[in-house]
Amino acid sequence: MWKRGIALGMTAAMMVGGVSACGSGTSESGSSDAETGSSSDAITITNVSYDPTREFYEAYNEIFAAYYEEETGQSVEIVQSHGGSGSQARSVIEGSDADVVTLALAHDITLIEEEGLIEEGWIDEFDQNSSPYTSTIVFLVRSGNEKNIQDWDDLIQDGVEVITPDPKSSGGACWNFLAAWYYADEQFDGDEDQVKDFVSALYDNVLVMDSGARGATTTFVENGQGDVLIAWENEALLAMEEYPDEFELVTPSVSILAEPSVAVVDENVDDNGTREAAEAYLEYLYSDEAQKLAGENYYRPSNEEILETFSDTFDLMVNLCTIDDFGGWDQAYEDFFQDGAIFDEIYND
């Protein structure tokens, strides 16, 4: 169980100091004002996020609520929702009343934009392509690393059981897939047939493919399945903190700069009258206080100076490709993840 208050894969709902946390794919705000301590004149905003951000936003919501009340005199409460990033994007499209989305990749927000809920140009609304923190993809193995897993080519060996979530519902899984593809593309000098064979062999070794990154962590960490988890760096580091001496982190020779994106859901905030609070909520993610909190929760701060202070936590020398190496997210999604694209070809072969 996570010491920070949320068991892997379990749902929790609470509101303390303006914070509400909730489990996969749903929003819950507690049962009543009296029980939660919420005030009738408080602004409520809903943050629809992806799986591994639960602990970070629990802590962030508290510091933001204090900051916003001090700045404006207005109390604010945040309802929190978590699930696979793709599933969360679809929930907003289907009517989830999100004021902001903090999702695993830009394409999931673009899908909401295409439905008319978010204004065009959202990616330039905040700094760093509206990515206030970044991460990368690593391997989490059990202590002793019995299968001697060091790099991507070790994941295709006979007898290696891999855990990774499903790219159809998980943003983290898309980053996992692209990092593996880039490694193989370099190994085989761009020979697409050989690259496909390599990535196909990797997915042949996948034992369990959960719908979201946190579910995959549960499968590996708590349920004891698999030899290696392809994971967000922050998930791997958190698991190592919560289960000392049980796991090891392996950084592959090539990984990817994963940029979780944030955006205001324009149609909803205009309907809800929450635009000012929602914009402030995302803007404050770039404050020094929030950037330090991101690092403490194992996300890489976008502020380079603050990132350097976490050089003992992160491997800042890792070789990272970027989404630009795939032509941007729209092109990558079309090539790899839309129905009938390369992932379906590989996985259903």
Side-chain angles (χ1 to χ4, degrees):
M1 180 178 295
W2 297 113
K3 296 174 185 174
R4 298 188 182 188
I6 297 185
L8 284 172
M10 295 182 66
T11 297
M14 64 182 179
M15 190 172 291
V16 180
V19 182
S20 176
C22 145
S24 235
T26 59
S27 297
E28 299 177 23
S29 59
S31 55
S32 72
D33 285 355
E35 291 177 356
T36 63
S38 61
S39 58
S40 59
D41 60 350
I43 297 172
T44 299
I45 60 174
T46 298
N47 175 11
V48 171
S49 195
Y50 66 106
D51 265 333
T53 60
R54 303 166 193 255
E55 292 78 16
F56 169 62
Y57 278 112
E58 277 189 8
Y60 174 72
N61 291 345
E62 291 188 2
I63 67 169
F64 172 74
Y67 158 79
Y68 193 74
E69 185 163 12
E70 181 178 350
E71 289 292 309
T72 68
Q74 174 70 61
S75 60
V76 61
E77 296 169 348
I78 300 95
V79 176
Q80 197 65 36
S81 171
H82 296 274
S85 187
S87 300
Q88 292 290 77
R90 287 191 292 274
S91 77
V92 175
I93 291 168
E94 292 167 1
S96 174
D97 193 22
D99 296 282
V100 300
V101 285
T102 57
L103 296 178
L105 45 87
H107 184 75
D108 288 335
I109 297 181
T110 298
L111 294 177
I112 303 171
E113 175 199 334
E114 290 172 350
E115 295 297 319
L117 298 172
I118 294 176
E119 294 173 2
E120 187 177 352
W122 64 267
I123 201 165
D124 298 317
E125 186 171 349
F126 301 99
D127 292 341
Q128 305 290 329
N129 293 323
S130 289
S131 295
Y133 42 80
T134 66
S135 191
T136 189
I137 301 305
V138 300
F139 306 150
L140 188 67
V141 299
R142 305 190 190 285
S143 183
N145 194 7
E146 181 180 345
K147 299 292 177 71
N148 194 29
I149 293 165
Q150 302 297 332
D151 213 341
W152 292 99
D153 55 351
D154 296 313
L155 305 191
I156 69 169
Q157 302 305 312
D158 290 344
V160 173
E161 295 181 338
V162 178
I163 306 297
T164 183
D166 184 351
K168 292 294 189 176
S169 55
S170 166
C174 294
W175 292 115
N176 295 356
F177 182 97
L178 293 178
W181 184 275
Y182 189 85
Y183 171 86
D185 190 64
E186 283 197 327
Q187 294 296 112
F188 300 114
D189 295 321
D191 185 319
E192 186 166 296
D193 287 338
Q194 291 189 76
V195 176
K196 284 182 178 179
D197 287 344
F198 179 93
V199 179
S200 179
L202 191 162
Y203 278 85
D204 283 346
N205 279 353
V206 172
L207 178 66
V208 178
M209 188 151 33
D210 291 283
S211 63
R214 182 53 62 88
T217 307
T218 300
T219 294
F220 184 76
V221 171
E222 292 200 340
N223 298 342
Q225 296 182 263
D227 300 304
V228 55
L229 171 69
I230 309 177
W232 290 98
E233 181 182 50
N234 52 281
E235 278 287 272
L237 289 168
L238 181 58
M240 292 171 65
E241 175 190 325
E242 302 299 348
Y243 296 87
D245 304 322
E246 293 189 30
F247 301 102
E248 300 174 18
L249 186 152
V250 175
T251 301
S253 63
V254 174
S255 192
I256 192 166
L257 177 66
E259 297 179 297
S261 300
V262 303
V264 173
V265 184
D266 295 290
E267 182 169 299
N268 289 350
V269 297
D270 288 341
D271 288 345
N272 297 337
T274 54
R275 177 174 290 277
E276 181 180 341
E279 290 178 349
Y281 182 78
L282 297 186
E283 184 66 42
Y284 196 65
L285 285 167
Y286 294 88
S287 68
D288 286 355
E289 184 179 20
Q291 289 285 291
K292 291 174 184 175
L293 185 66
E296 290 165 2
N297 282 269
Y298 305 124
Y299 289 92
R300 297 183 175 216
S302 62
N303 182 311
E304 291 291 335
E305 291 184 2
I306 294 176
L307 174 60
E308 286 293 334
T309 68
F310 288 93
S311 59
D312 290 342
T313 300
F314 305 118
D315 179 357
L316 300 183
M317 302 303 293
V318 61
N319 180 19
L320 299 177
C321 65
T322 74
I323 195 60
D324 292 338
D325 291 308
F326 298 89
W329 260 114
D330 289 345
Q331 188 63 54
Y333 187 83
E334 180 179 343
D335 290 343
F336 294 102
F337 305 119
Q338 72 178 10
D339 290 345
I342 288 174
F343 174 76
D344 283 350
E345 178 186 340
I346 287 171
Y347 191 65
N348 297 324
D349 187 11

